[in-house]
Amino acid sequence: MTQPRVGILAIQGDVDAHAQALARVGATAVPVLAEKHLGEIDALILPGGESTTIAKGLDRLGLYEPLRAFAESGRPVLGTCAGAILLARESENHPVRTLGLIDAVALRNAYGTQVDSFAAEPDPPAAGAGETARELAGLRCIFIRAPRLGQLGPGVEVLLRVDAEPVLVREGNIYACTFHPELGEDARLHGLLVAARPAA
Ligand code: GLN
């Protein structure tokens, strides 16, 4: 079987660490900087970094519409931290042009300066939690100037919470997490993204 190919939007941010996490789950990382790269991949990651900078790059490279078309093709998309902000319907406090691919509102830098960065374990899966939530139990979540996702629409499923706050949500093939799953050794979320790609 050929290795799955996963694109990483490579404008700015945590591109290398995502590539290493993908290698751990047997996937090939493909840097995405142009529409043509989207045709070569099975899934896409929008990394953490600085959403304002990444949004400017998306505009300059003309990637807003191609990324929306990619999402509509049904292939999985994962946005992490700044990437989650870009997936949201809007960013409430510091406006940034978003893709509107997940029915949620992002609040940027929501944890304040006191606790800019911290690690936490997700709340134990609720009784009746789905398979994905159970597979990710105990994942170490690292937050770096993280956003919060609120005003979730009815189609948005919460897969992980920390202190009752949603930190990983899914709407169809679109996944958004407010932490950095690419840091550390545990690549379970990357594994799920690869497993979620539609059968060829
Ligand atoms: N604070 C950043 C933003 O609002 C996100 C931080 C991150 O991706 N680690 O864009």
Side-chain angles (χ1 to χ4, degrees):
M1 214 177 84
T2 56
Q3 280 211 334
R5 294 168 63 82
V6 179
I8 307 172
L9 184 67
I11 293 169
Q12 185 265 338
D14 227 1
V15 179
D16 291 346
H18 274 293
Q20 284 162 27
L22 287 170
R24 274 185 226 121
V25 298
T28 304
V30 178
V32 169
L33 281 170
E35 181 172 5
K36 64 178 181 207
H37 300 141
L38 296 170
E40 305 163 10
I41 56 175
D42 302 302
L44 174 67
I45 293 173
L46 309 184
E50 181 52 48
S51 54
T52 315
T53 307
I54 300 173
K56 279 187 191 141
L58 287 177
D59 204 23
R60 179 168 36 86
L61 298 168
L63 279 175
Y64 275 91
E65 283 317 314
L67 289 187
R68 288 193 185 109
F70 181 88
E72 268 167 34
S73 76
R75 285 168 285 176
V77 178
L78 168 67
T80 65
C81 202
I85 295 168
L86 292 166
L87 289 176
R89 144 174 122 232
E90 64 174 301
S91 129
E92 181 177 279
N93 47 346
H94 307 286
V96 56
R97 184 178 166 204
T98 64
L99 289 152
L101 290 172
I102 202 154
D103 195 2
V105 172
L107 193 65
R108 290 177 63 193
N109 303 322
Y111 292 89
T113 50
Q114 301 288 336
V115 282
D116 256 352
S117 305
F118 60 99
E121 266 202 20
D123 302 347
E131 196 186 339
T132 311
R134 282 184 280 116
E135 277 177 30
L136 294 173
L139 188 76
R140 190 176 140 85
C141 302
I142 298 171
F143 296 87
I144 304 170
R145 297 181 60 234
R148 282 184 210 264
L149 295 173
Q151 302 178 48
L152 304 180
V156 180
E157 184 188 353
V158 179
L159 296 173
L160 289 180
R161 294 179 187 270
V162 166
D163 292 337
E165 219 35 81
V167 299
L168 171 66
V169 301
R170 179 176 83 94
E171 185 169 16
N173 56 322
I174 312 295
Y175 296 76
C177 71
T178 59
F179 57 92
H180 283 260
E182 76 284 9
L183 300 179
E185 300 293 308
D186 190 339
R188 269 183 284 169
L189 188 51
H190 292 78
L192 274 169
L193 186 73
V194 169
R197 85 205 136 102

